[in-house]
Amino acid sequence: MLKFPYCNVTDLNQALAQCRFVGLVGPLASRRQSPRAVVSCSPSSSEFSLTPVQAVMSCQQQVGSSLVNRLRLGGLTEDGLSYKEKFIIRGFEVGINKIATIETIANLLQEVGSNHAQSVGFSTDGFGTTPTMRKLHLIWVTARMHIEVYKYPAWRDVIEIETWSQNEGRIGTRRDWILNEVATGEVIGRATSKWVMMNQDTRRMQKVSDDVKEEYLVFCPREPRLAFSEKNNKSLKRIAKLEDPVRYSKLGLKPRRADLDMNQHVNNVTYIGWVLESIPKEIIDTHELQAITLFYRRECQQYDVVDSLTGLELTEGSKTVSVGTNGSATATATTREDDHDCHRFLHLLRLSSDGREISRGRTEWRKKPTR
C-alpha cells in the first residue's frame, strides 16, 4: 500500500534506487545516532543531507507530477510524522437524513490510512507492507477498531482527517485519527485501532521484528501521541461474549462480492454493517451511533454465512452484564449512567455453520439531535 508517489514508482526498493537514497538508516538507530540520508530525486540535482523523513518529503516536493497526487487534497504534515486529507461528503455517502453514515466515516478512515502509507513509500499491494514484510510474506490485519463520532458531517460538508501510527506491543502497531469540520475547526470525531502482523501463508500471528520496526518507526511520532488518553480509552475495555438466547438477532448474512477488499477477504467496514443489522428498529429510528468498538477474532471469507447477535449492556454495581431474551440479568440491573436517552449494546458476529466467533463489539447510541 505504500509507494513514493511523487517519484512515480511502485516499490520502495525502486524508490530508493531512483531517488538515490544513500545511508538510509532505520528509526531505532536514528534516534540514537541522528543519521542522515543523502537524496537526489534526479541525476542532475545536487545532493544534500537529510533525515529519512525529510528525504521522502523532499522527493515528493521536487517530483510531484502524479495526477492522483495533484488531485488529492492531502499530504504529510510539516514534520512528516502524520498525514492530513480533506474530503467533501458526497450524496452516496449519506443516509435518508442527508447525514454521513458510520460506514462512510469508517471507509474514510481506511482511505486516509492507506494514503498515509503510500505517501511515505510503502507498498501498493493493499497490505501496507514494508520491504522486509513482503520478503517474509507478512501482512497487517486489524485486531481492534474504536470510533467515536461527536457530530456527523452532512451532505456537502468538508472534513479534514489527520492520522498517524506508532508501535504498540510485541506484535502490533497502533493507528489513530482525528476528524475536524473544516468550516468551524471543530473536532467532530476520533478513532484508534490496533493492527497485528500475520504470516500471509500460514495465517498465524507473528512478532514484529526489529528489522520491520526500523522500516516504519522512522515515520512515527517520537513520543506517544494518542487520540484517546489511555485512562479513558473505551476501546481497551473488555467486551463480554454474548451467549444465546439473545434479544435481537439477524441470521444468515452473506458477504457480497462488493464486500471483498483487495486482500480477498471481507472488508472491515462490512463488519460494522452486520452489527447494525441486528440493532432494534426503534433505536435506529430515534438514536444515532456515538461510539463503536470491534474486536476482530477471525477472518471472514466470501462464502461464509454470518449471524449477528445483539443484547443490551447493563450494569450490576460495577460489573457489566449482558441481557438475554427475557431482558433481566438480575432484578436490580440498570443502564449505566441511568440515562434513558443513551443505550448501550453488546454484539457478536459468528459463523452460522459452527458458531465460531468472528467479532465481538460494543455500541453506544444517543438521541438524534434536532437538525
Side-chain angles (χ1 to χ4, degrees), residues 34-156:
S34 300
R36 312 295 285 179
V38 177
V39 59
S40 174
C41 287
S42 67
S44 59
S45 63
S46 60
E47 296 183 346
F48 49 94
S49 240
L50 294 171
T51 66
V53 173
Q54 291 171 331
V56 170
M57 299 180 70
S58 174
C59 187
Q60 292 178 347
Q61 292 166 359
Q62 292 183 49
V63 199
S65 59
S66 166
L67 178 60
V68 66
N69 289 301
R70 283 188 281 133
L71 295 178
R72 182 180 291 156
L73 300 177
L76 293 171
T77 54
E78 187 175 349
D79 61 8
L81 302 180
S82 70
Y83 176 93
K84 291 182 179 181
E85 187 167 351
K86 294 182 176 67
F87 297 91
I88 302 171
I89 302 301
R90 296 165 294 183
F92 60 86
E93 296 173 321
V94 303
I96 58 176
N97 55 0
K98 299 183 180 179
I99 302 301
T101 64
I102 187 62
E103 290 98 327
T104 291
I105 299 298
N107 276 318
L108 291 178
L109 297 180
Q110 285 196 161
E111 176 70 7
V112 173
S114 175
N115 292 344
H116 179 207
Q118 292 183 39
S119 71
V120 298
F122 294 164
S123 72
T124 56
D125 60 5
F127 298 110
T129 52
T130 69
T132 298
M133 291 177 66
R134 293 195 296 280
K135 188 183 304 182
L136 300 176
H137 294 189
L138 302 175
I139 59 174
W140 296 113
V141 294
T142 313
R144 180 185 73 234
M145 187 76 183
H146 177 78
I147 306 172
E148 294 184 14
V149 182
Y150 314 130
K151 176 186 175 184
Y152 281 88
W155 175 44
R156 300 177 70 182

